[in-house]
Amino acid sequence: MTEVVRSFRLTRVLHEDARSRVVNLLGACSYDGQETAALLLMEKTHFSPQFLDTIETGLSHAFSRIESIGQNDIYTWVFGWQAASKNEQADVKMTLICPATDELIAKYSTPERRMVLETPHMYRTVTKPWIDMLPTSKTAWVRNILQGISEQESILYNDDDPKAGFILLPDMKWDRRSLSSLYLVAIVRDESLKTLRDLRKEHIPLLRNIQTAGAQIARDTFGLPPASTDGSATPLRCFLHYMPTYFHLHVHLLSANFTSHPGALVGQAHLLEDVISLLELGVSFSDRTLGYAMADGHPLLHALQEAGYAK
Amino acid sequence: MTEVVRSFRLTRVLHEDARSRVVNLLGACSYDGQETAALLLMEKTHFSPQFLDTIETGLSHAFSRIESIGQNDIYTWVFGWQAASKNEQADVKMTLICPATDELIAKYSTPERRMVLETPHMYRTVTKPWIDMLPTSKTAWVRNILQGISEQESILYNDDDPKAGFILLPDMKWDRRSLSSLYLVAIVRDESLKTLRDLRKEHIPLLRNIQTAGAQIARDTFGLPPASTDGSATPLRCFLHYMPTYFHLHVHLLSANFTSHPGALVGQAHLLEDVISLLELGVSFSDRTLGYAMADGHPLLHALQEAGYAK
């Protein structure tokens, strides 16, 4: 059968995922003497244990060629060609962080995760006090954007209302080009809203406005398909995080086609539409038990354990 | 700085993601004449457009060597070494599907996705009738497992109760070894439960039993850490799909560390703990608006559009 594989000629790329280095190709093969439609699914191989072993004795043994892409502070980016490789394109992209602190080492290690089931009581007695104690300097960058001090050139939409207002801008992780990974973020103006837990029925118009403005900008500025005329379908997957990484309410707006973003995972992400629907039904988010994944070493996990939970 | 990169020697692998072909390494570099701790983040490069262009003229131009791994019916698996590569390990893993039908071509193409916002009215008038109309033969394989006809050797836990009973088995996608990607599935015995929409307060004990049995099996059979003594933390991320791919209620149980599973995405997955909490608060899942991602070509999307929605 490798003869049939060898005869494959590409007609069209059907699917590509640059993050997982996968392409699905449509083409034709000579099969039983006939030109026959065929699919070829290609994926890069993972780093082998043997390859990693080589690096124990030094990087030069693993790569025949290393070329600089850029450098900034402790970060250096390079392309590498594996030892015996003569490919035109580099085989590996590398980021060197040197010197590395313990904090950076922890950041790039696999954390052990667990699901915390936060009851309303745990929220009131541990989580909320912990959030309230965080220094306001941690969200200074958010206020800088809202007050027109930083990133003004990025703002896509601005509603000045102190209660129902918000700004919409591209997420820093988005390249601002690839439609399939479109990623916007809406930051609300009302500083009293820190998380999902603070949402009440009165915030439904705010959330709906974010949804509408997002769909409009996604269409008008970036060319995503429009929302359906009856409102029952949108091209965006909008969600809030709980636990978020910063405590100033914000909504993530992703292309519905962007399915490989780790932040969109259940156990962290709550679909905006589901949140609105629950608020409409009178559910109070401060009275719910909410589950979320926590990595070992997270200071909130530490606070919860100090209080006797999640041990 | 490439000198510093070149001096890197590996101490320890901090993180590995075989699906996205990424490793984070801890090691040491000579930096300012000193042995200094350094992080090296490596990722395989994606397929370049130039490489794909080469395949238009034939696969033999793109690969210098192709080796068979296996073959079954229309599927052939091979390893490939890129044209100029002399690496020990293959650069690319490929699956050839030949002959390919239109259905298979559609399956491996990027589908255009949208978020459907399904109101209770849409559910009652379109989705529920569509589910009820599906031939029972589609879930025959589920009944075969429940009735002891198939996969009996896989069953990890069995509760025979016709109402509150369920079986627990490893998901077919799990290799049954890698703890970090542990993936079990619980299939309930009550055939009247087709989706999340059918859940009522009376089903809370069933859902809690699944959670408890899952944590027990994950610990006793596979060695995952135990749930916390107060019940406020578990090593499992448990969720239900809406829309599911088959309409017989089942719960997915994943290691909380398994964060790259596309089925755990918000807009399809609902955390079991959140579902239980909402049922406790008296929320009726048939009265909620539920958002879910739908790919073009899904027969339910077609049914909804026929009824005038999501156009």
Side-chain angles (χ1 to χ4, degrees):
Chain A
M1 270 310 274
T2 60
E3 287 319 299
V4 180
V5 178
R6 242 181 275 274
S7 71
F8 182 91
R9 277 173 295 99
L10 173 65
T11 318
R12 189 153 53 86
V13 177
L14 297 179
H15 173 78
E16 237 183 303
D17 185 344
R19 189 170 168 265
S20 51
R21 343 272 153 177
V22 162
V23 285
N24 294 348
L25 307 176
L26 177 65
C29 282
S30 345
Y31 179 75
D32 275 351
Q34 300 225 334
E35 278 282 292
T36 309
L39 289 163
L40 191 64
L41 321 177
M42 286 191 176
E43 51 186 302
K44 290 278 175 121
T45 52
H46 188 48
F47 296 97
S48 69
Q50 293 77 15
F51 175 77
L52 297 176
D53 282 350
T54 316
I55 302 178
E56 285 181 23
T57 56
L59 206 67
S60 332
H61 299 113
F63 292 94
S64 56
R65 180 175 156 203
I66 287 169
E67 235 170 57
S68 174
I69 318 174
Q71 213 256 320
N72 185 353
D73 190 32
I74 57 171
Y75 299 92
T76 306
W77 298 276
V78 300
F79 276 137
W81 282 257
Q82 284 183 256
S85 155
K86 289 187 161 33
N87 296 326
E88 270 179 59
Q89 191 206 9
D91 301 309
V92 179
K93 190 196 155 200
M94 285 172 273
T95 304
L96 179 77
I97 307 176
C98 181
T101 60
D102 286 349
E103 226 177 354
L104 283 163
I105 294 169
K107 179 174 171 184
Y108 289 103
S109 301
T110 310
E112 193 67 34
R113 284 185 192 79
R114 70 198 78 196
M115 296 301 306
V116 172
L117 313 177
E118 187 187 85
T119 60
H121 184 74
M122 285 162 72
Y123 171 68
R124 276 194 305 271
T125 57
V126 185
T127 308
K128 192 175 183 310
W130 179 83
I131 295 172
D132 290 340
M133 234 191 52
L134 293 170
T136 53
S137 62
K138 286 228 171 197
T139 45
W141 67 274
V142 175
R143 284 186 298 276
N144 283 343
I145 299 175
L146 289 171
Q147 289 164 13
I149 298 166
S150 311
E151 295 187 50
Q152 292 312 290
E153 67 291 353
S154 296
I155 293 179
L156 297 166
Y157 188 95
N158 184 9
D159 179 337
D160 265 337
D161 189 278
K163 278 288 163 194
F166 61 94
I167 56 157
L168 195 64
L169 67 172
D171 189 89
M172 283 174 296
K173 288 183 284 297
W174 185 42
D175 64 11
R176 307 193 184 195
R177 272 183 299 272
S178 320
L179 262 196
S180 62
S181 61
L182 179 133
Y183 190 169
L184 311 177
V185 64
I187 303 179
V188 307
R189 293 210 167 266
D190 183 350
E191 275 193 48
S192 71
L193 300 177
K194 298 199 188 302
T195 76
L196 196 63
R197 288 272 194 200
D198 297 317
L199 290 174
R200 305 283 172 270
K201 237 178 185 160
E202 68 201 75
H203 300 116
I204 295 175
L206 165 67
L207 300 175
R208 283 220 186 285
N209 287 347
I210 290 175
Q211 207 174 30
T212 311
Q216 188 201 311
I217 292 287
R219 188 195 58 194
D220 296 349
T221 309
F222 300 107
L224 230 62
S228 71
T229 43
D230 66 339
S232 68
T234 97
L236 295 177
R237 191 187 305 257
C238 305
F239 54 86
L240 297 101
H241 279 158
Y242 192 80
M243 284 293 151
T245 44
Y246 58 96
F247 294 88
H248 182 124
L249 196 78
H250 56 285
V251 179
H252 304 257
L253 304 96
L254 271 68
S255 161
N257 289 322
F258 186 9
T259 56
S260 60
H261 179 54
L265 219 58
V266 67
Q268 178 182 17
H270 293 259
L271 201 72
L272 182 60
E273 201 41 52
D274 291 353
V275 170
I276 293 174
S277 164
L278 290 172
L279 290 171
E280 282 175 342
L281 289 174
V283 171
S284 156
F285 276 77
S286 54
D287 293 345
R288 281 180 63 183
T289 292
L290 285 167
Y292 50 82
M294 281 249 114
D296 265 358
H298 193 292
L300 174 57
L301 182 61
H302 188 71
L304 287 165
Q305 289 174 332
E306 286 275 292
Y309 298 109
K311 282 192 183 173
Chain B
M1 272 307 275
T2 61
E3 288 319 300
V4 180
V5 178
R6 242 180 275 275
S7 72
F8 182 91
R9 276 173 298 100
L10 173 66
T11 318
R12 190 153 53 86
V13 176
L14 297 179
H15 172 78
E16 236 184 303
D17 185 343
R19 190 171 167 264
S20 52
R21 345 273 154 176
V22 161
V23 285
N24 295 347
L25 308 176
L26 177 65
C29 282
S30 346
Y31 178 76
D32 276 348
Q34 300 225 333
E35 280 282 292
T36 309
L39 290 161
L40 191 63
L41 321 178
M42 286 193 177
E43 52 187 300
K44 291 276 176 122
T45 52
H46 188 47
F47 296 97
S48 68
Q50 293 76 15
F51 175 77
L52 296 176
D53 282 350
T54 317
I55 302 178
E56 285 180 23
T57 55
L59 205 67
S60 333
H61 299 113
F63 291 95
S64 56
R65 181 175 154 202
I66 286 168
E67 236 171 56
S68 175
I69 316 172
Q71 213 255 321
N72 185 353
D73 189 33
I74 57 171
Y75 300 92
T76 305
W77 298 276
V78 301
F79 277 136
W81 282 256
Q82 284 182 256
S85 156
K86 287 186 164 28
N87 296 328
E88 268 179 61
Q89 191 206 10
D91 302 308
V92 180
K93 190 195 155 203
M94 286 172 272
T95 306
L96 180 77
I97 307 176
C98 182
T101 59
D102 286 348
E103 228 176 353
L104 282 164
I105 293 169
K107 180 176 172 183
Y108 289 102
S109 299
T110 309
E112 192 67 35
R113 284 185 192 79
R114 70 197 80 193
M115 296 300 305
V116 172
L117 313 177
E118 186 188 86
T119 61
H121 184 74
M122 285 162 72
Y123 171 68
R124 276 194 303 274
T125 57
V126 185
T127 308
K128 190 173 183 312
W130 179 83
I131 294 171
D132 290 341
M133 235 192 50
L134 292 171
T136 52
S137 61
K138 288 227 170 195
T139 44
W141 66 273
V142 175
R143 284 186 299 277
N144 283 343
I145 299 176
L146 290 171
Q147 289 163 14
I149 299 166
S150 311
E151 295 188 49
Q152 292 313 289
E153 66 290 354
S154 297
I155 292 180
L156 297 165
Y157 187 94
N158 184 8
D159 179 337
D160 266 337
D161 189 278
K163 279 290 164 193
F166 62 93
I167 57 157
L168 195 65
L169 67 173
D171 188 89
M172 284 173 297
K173 288 182 283 297
W174 185 41
D175 64 10
R176 305 192 186 195
R177 272 183 299 271
S178 321
L179 261 196
S180 62
S181 60
L182 179 132
Y183 190 168
L184 312 177
V185 64
I187 303 180
V188 308
R189 293 208 168 267
D190 183 350
E191 276 192 49
S192 72
L193 299 178
K194 297 197 188 302
T195 75
L196 196 62
R197 289 272 194 201
D198 297 317
L199 290 174
R200 305 283 172 269
K201 237 178 185 161
E202 69 201 74
H203 300 114
I204 294 176
L206 164 68
L207 300 175
R208 283 221 186 285
N209 287 347
I210 289 175
Q211 208 175 29
T212 311
Q216 187 201 312
I217 292 289
R219 187 196 61 195
D220 296 348
T221 309
F222 300 106
L224 230 62
S228 71
T229 43
D230 66 338
S232 68
T234 97
L236 295 177
R237 192 187 302 259
C238 306
F239 55 85
L240 298 100
H241 279 157
Y242 193 79
M243 286 291 149
T245 45
Y246 58 96
F247 294 89
H248 183 124
L249 196 78
H250 56 284
V251 178
H252 304 258
L253 304 97
L254 272 68
S255 161
N257 289 323
F258 186 11
T259 57
S260 61
H261 178 54
L265 218 60
V266 66
Q268 179 182 15
H270 293 259
L271 201 71
L272 182 60
E273 201 40 52
D274 292 353
V275 169
I276 292 174
S277 164
L278 290 171
L279 290 171
E280 281 174 345
L281 288 173
V283 171
S284 157
F285 276 78
S286 53
D287 293 344
R288 282 181 62 183
T289 292
L290 285 167
Y292 50 83
M294 281 250 113
D296 265 359
H298 192 294
L300 173 57
L301 182 61
H302 188 70
L304 287 166
Q305 289 175 331
E306 286 274 292
Y309 299 108
K311 282 190 185 179

